Amino acid sequence: MHDNSIDRTTNGSGLVKNLEYKQLQEYFLVDDFGNQTKFKVPEFAAILKWAKKNEVVLTIDIKRSVAVEDVVKAIKKSKAEDDSIIITYDLEQSLKTYKLAPELMQSVSARNQKEFDGLLASGIPTKNMLAFTGTRLSSYSLYKNIHSKGIRTILGTLGNLDNQAEARGDYLYNEWKEKGIDIFATDRPFEVAKTIKAYK
């Protein structure tokens, strides 16, 4: 679950921490428009199995109430290391994840040169990194420096930048790509894909 409660994503109500998995199974997931689907809330192990079977790469956002150790253990048990990227939010979390699972890719926070320099000095191999550069555009020099180390960049366009593209034109996604963005974290994946494909 992304949220602390099930109110937005299911036809039920309540905080996740107060519900047993059996109780969660009483509800159905809803789509982005609030329409009830035929799907129930899956367990993490089932998602890992599905990703492995369908060759899907997951970016796994670990919530504060969940231990990184438990997530890593589940990934290893499912042999889904090649299908999993752990999202980390600071250097301490990145180092802990690397110590637990040096084979896993991480989405690391590199919103500015100072954060990026800290990552480079951390001892975490650059081959383990995807650089999340934030939800605002950074300087061209940051993207260039990240690319010079063989690391791909991620820009979070969800929210403000997606709204900007929707209002001004989807061509902006291609402009951002040209500035050095490799991966878009977006609420508009079809528009991003269509725009980038059109400019190839």
Side-chain angles (χ1 to χ4, degrees):
M1 297 295 290
H2 178 276
D3 301 357
N4 290 324
S5 80
I6 65 170
D7 298 44
R8 183 179 65 89
T9 54
T10 76
N11 65 338
S13 183
L15 293 175
V16 178
K17 68 179 183 179
N18 296 336
L19 297 165
E20 297 287 332
Y21 186 67
K22 187 178 177 181
Q23 292 172 289
L24 286 175
Q25 292 304 285
E26 296 171 15
Y27 307 111
F28 291 90
L29 295 173
V30 296
D31 65 19
D32 290 339
F33 305 101
N35 302 310
Q36 182 178 307
T37 70
K38 63 180 180 178
F39 302 106
K40 302 276 189 173
V41 177
E43 287 185 305
F44 186 47
I47 293 294
L48 290 169
K49 184 179 179 183
W50 173 85
K52 197 169 168 54
K53 180 182 175 185
N54 292 283
E55 298 182 344
V56 171
V57 176
L58 304 170
T59 49
I60 301 166
D61 190 359
I62 304 173
K63 298 302 175 182
R64 287 190 186 118
S65 60
V66 179
V68 176
E69 291 88 346
D70 292 341
V71 175
V72 168
K73 186 178 176 182
I75 290 168
K76 288 183 176 183
K77 186 176 179 182
S78 296
K79 295 185 172 52
E81 292 92 338
D82 290 343
D83 303 281
S84 302
I85 299 168
I86 301 286
I87 297 173
T88 58
Y89 290 96
D90 56 44
L91 187 54
E92 185 182 343
Q93 197 180 32
S94 299
L95 285 165
K96 183 177 184 179
T97 302
Y98 178 64
K99 188 176 179 182
L100 286 168
E103 71 280 11
L104 282 179
M105 287 287 293
Q106 292 186 40
S107 166
V108 294
S109 188
R111 295 165 296 178
N112 53 56
Q113 192 62 48
K114 184 180 177 183
E115 281 188 343
F116 185 51
D117 288 342
L119 287 162
L120 292 177
S122 71
I124 300 170
T126 54
K127 67 178 184 175
N128 287 54
M129 298 181 191
L130 290 173
F132 181 76
T133 60
T135 55
R136 296 180 182 159
L137 288 167
S138 298
S139 66
Y140 173 72
S141 62
L142 177 64
Y143 303 130
K144 189 175 179 183
N145 289 342
I146 291 169
H147 283 152
S148 74
K149 301 297 181 184
I151 304 169
R152 303 242 182 229
T153 61
I154 305 171
L155 175 67
T157 59
L158 357 76
N160 186 44
L161 292 174
D162 273 346
N163 292 339
Q164 196 179 117
E166 192 170 14
R168 290 180 44 203
D170 291 342
Y171 70 90
L172 286 172
Y173 293 117
N174 196 62
E175 285 190 2
W176 299 331
K177 179 181 179 291
E178 293 302 314
K179 284 184 177 178
I181 303 306
D182 300 304
I183 301 166
F184 290 87
T186 178
D187 286 328
R188 305 180 73 228
F190 298 111
E191 290 82 1
V192 173
K194 184 178 177 184
T195 302
I196 291 172
K197 189 176 179 183
Y199 280 89
K200 277 188 176 179

